[in-house]
């Protein structure tokens, strides 16, 4: 689960550096259900129902329309190689998100609590992110009480709360939805 979390977050934010956020989101969300069905079939041999295939096709088509609209509005073709790297990073983020969902569901089915799953997701991403910032060449941050307070607020409201609610949703739903 840690490798999937690192894959998801790092490739998602890398994609955001290269292409429009609307394209990144549409690609990640659009192919997620399809990937979940493919991975489940590959791992278990469970064939998806007609309804599940229809839902996957609908989500993929809807996100495809959004991605095409964003591509036309962003000058995607003029971005060149970065655009294709951004798309590839978006696909990698989607793969990671599907794997996180499946791993989370498996742990919850084994009796883990929501908080426990969430607490064990970030062991790998923290040191990788730290190492990546060392070589960034950016100036050091001037720490202050206000900066620490803002970072804590963003951490709780923008990261922990949504991820905790996501864990609850994964626990209460079919991991493929």
């Amino acid at each position: 689960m840690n490798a999937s979390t690192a894959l998801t977050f790092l490739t998602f934010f890398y994609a955001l550096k290269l292409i429009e956020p609307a394209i990144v989101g549409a690609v990640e969300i659009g192919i997620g259900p399809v990937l979940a069905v493919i991975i489940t079939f590959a791992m278990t041999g469970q064939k998806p129902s007609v309804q599940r295939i229809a839902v996957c096709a609908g989500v993929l088509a809807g996100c495809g329309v959004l991605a095409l609209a964003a591509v036309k509005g962003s000058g995607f073709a003029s971005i060149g190689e970065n655009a294709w790297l951004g798309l590839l990073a978006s696909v990698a983020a989607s793969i990671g998100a599907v794997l996180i969902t499946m791993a989370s569901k498996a742990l919850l089915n084994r009796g883990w609590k929501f908080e426990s799953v969430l607490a064990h997701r970030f062991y790998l991403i923290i040191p990788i992110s730290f190492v990546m910032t060392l070589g960034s060449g950016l100036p050091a941050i001037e720490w202050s009480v206000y900066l620490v307070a803002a970072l804590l607020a963003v951490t709780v409201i923008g990261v922990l709360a949504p991820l905790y609610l996501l864990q609850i949703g994964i626990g209460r739903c079919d991991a493929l939805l």
Side-chain angles (χ1 to χ4, degrees), residues 11-28 66-68 70-93:
T11 57
F12 180 77
F13 287 113
Y14 182 70
L16 289 175
K17 286 176 59 174
L18 300 175
I19 58 177
E20 283 280 328
I23 298 170
V24 175
V27 168
E28 185 180 7
L66 291 174
L68 285 174
V71 165
K72 291 197 184 274
S74 69
F76 185 84
S78 65
I79 298 171
E81 185 177 308
N82 283 345
W84 295 108
L85 285 173
L87 280 178
L88 184 61
S90 299
V91 170

Side-chain angles (χ1 to χ4, degrees), residues 5-6 41 52 65 76 79 93 108 115 124 131-132 150 154 157 159 165 172 174:
T5 299
F41 178 72
R52 187 157 296 195
V65 169
F76 185 84
I79 298 171
L108 292 168
E115 303 85 14
L124 187 58
V131 169
M132 289 176 74
V154 168
I157 297 168
V159 178
L165 294 172
R172 294 185 179 171
D174 179 354

